[in-house]
């Protein structure tokens, strides 16, 4: 977890300094809300610090997630935020590209990758990540597309108040970052495993010894060999697939495993806690 937090913080700071700062993208998420409040307050002649706004917005969500998601998750998430903030000041690099679109594409990819690495390490980059993970844990599915919609609405408000060009580029950046997260972080994606074996009892015993998902067993026979076969059926998270395959092949090296995407699942499903 610690290594993932450090790598995530480094990538996030590098992406912001090298690719995002040169094109002056508008912020989104909690940073965007704080920045928007700061600009609106400034227009009214009131000083409101963006940094203070970020802290004020993050504290209640962090406390809520501390109680409902996990202590270690929130602590490591806040460590990631503090570390990335320090690295933003320490890491100074020259822009790699003069082209705005190249900066947005590479910056969006690295930024999304940084968030994905933090999430894989059971941490986050705080802010909207806290809300996204809490809701995802409750409903059992990813909501990053809704986070993207929220960010688009926020950036459209920026566009109305401060100009559309940077708002448009910022929405493109958010889209690339969101797609990167969706491609690399699969905690809430599920697949169906269809397992054909001549050792159904042994495989079921091995499966339930390390896996908390249910599994169904049907008897059959091989159409070509005529031998008795067992057809096992279960639904698991994608991040568990390789581990399950390894265990099953230890029991039956000739096992046949078909992995199929599961679009919709209705029923009880065990979700491993983040902590």
């Amino acid at each position: 977890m610690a290594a993932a937090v450090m790598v995530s913080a480094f990538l996030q700071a590098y992406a912001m300094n090298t690719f995002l700062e040169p094109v002056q993208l508008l912020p989104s998420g909690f940073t965007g809300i704080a920045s928007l409040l700061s600009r609106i307050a400034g227009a009214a002649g009131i000083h409101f610090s963006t940094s203070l706004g970020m802290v004020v917005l993050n504290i209640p969500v962090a406390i809520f997630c501390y109680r409902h998601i996990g202590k270690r998750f929130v602590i490591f998430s806040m460590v990631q935020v503090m570390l990335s903030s320090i690295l933003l000041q320490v890491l100074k690099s020259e822009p790699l590209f003069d082209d705005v679109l190249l900066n947005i594409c590479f910056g969006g990819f690295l930024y999304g990758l940084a968030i994905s690495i933090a999430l894989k390490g059971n941490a986050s980059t705080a802010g909207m990540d806290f809300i996204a993970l809490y809701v995802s844990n409750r409903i059992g599915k990813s909501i990053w597309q809704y986070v993207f919609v929220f960010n688009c609405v926020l950036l459209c408000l920026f566009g109305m108040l401060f100009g559309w060009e940077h708002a448009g580029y910022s929405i493109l950046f958010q889209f690339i970052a969101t797609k990167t997260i969706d491609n690399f972080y699969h905690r809430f994606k599920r697949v169906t495993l269809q397992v054909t074996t001549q050792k159904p009892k042994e495989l079921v015993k091995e499966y339930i010894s390390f896996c908390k998902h249910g599994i169904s067993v049907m008897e059959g026979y091989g159409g070509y060999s005529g031998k008795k076969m067992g057809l096992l059926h279960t639904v698991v998270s994608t991040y568990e697939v390789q581990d399950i395959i390894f265990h099953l092949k230890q029991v039956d090296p000739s096992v046949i495993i078909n992995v199929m995407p599961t679009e919709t699942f209705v029923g009880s499903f065990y979700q491993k806690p983040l902590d």
Side-chain angles (χ1 to χ4, degrees), residues 192-197 199-201 203-205 207-208 212-220 229-236 248 265 268:
T192 298
L193 298 186
Q194 191 178 61
V195 182
T196 305
T197 178
K199 302 178 179 179
K201 291 183 178 180
L203 256 65
V204 169
K205 184 178 179 180
Y207 179 85
I208 63 177
K212 294 189 178 182
H213 300 296
I215 187 168
S216 303
V217 184
M218 292 178 285
E219 294 183 353
M229 295 283 185
L231 186 64
L232 315 182
H233 182 95
T234 185
V235 178
V236 301
L248 296 185
F265 179 84
S268 179

Side-chain angles (χ1 to χ4, degrees), residues 250-271:
Q250 296 299 306
V251 177
D252 182 6
S254 62
V255 65
I256 298 172
I257 303 174
N258 186 19
V259 182
M260 300 173 288
T262 301
E263 294 297 329
T264 304
F265 179 84
V266 179
S268 179
F269 185 86
Y270 172 77
Q271 189 72 58

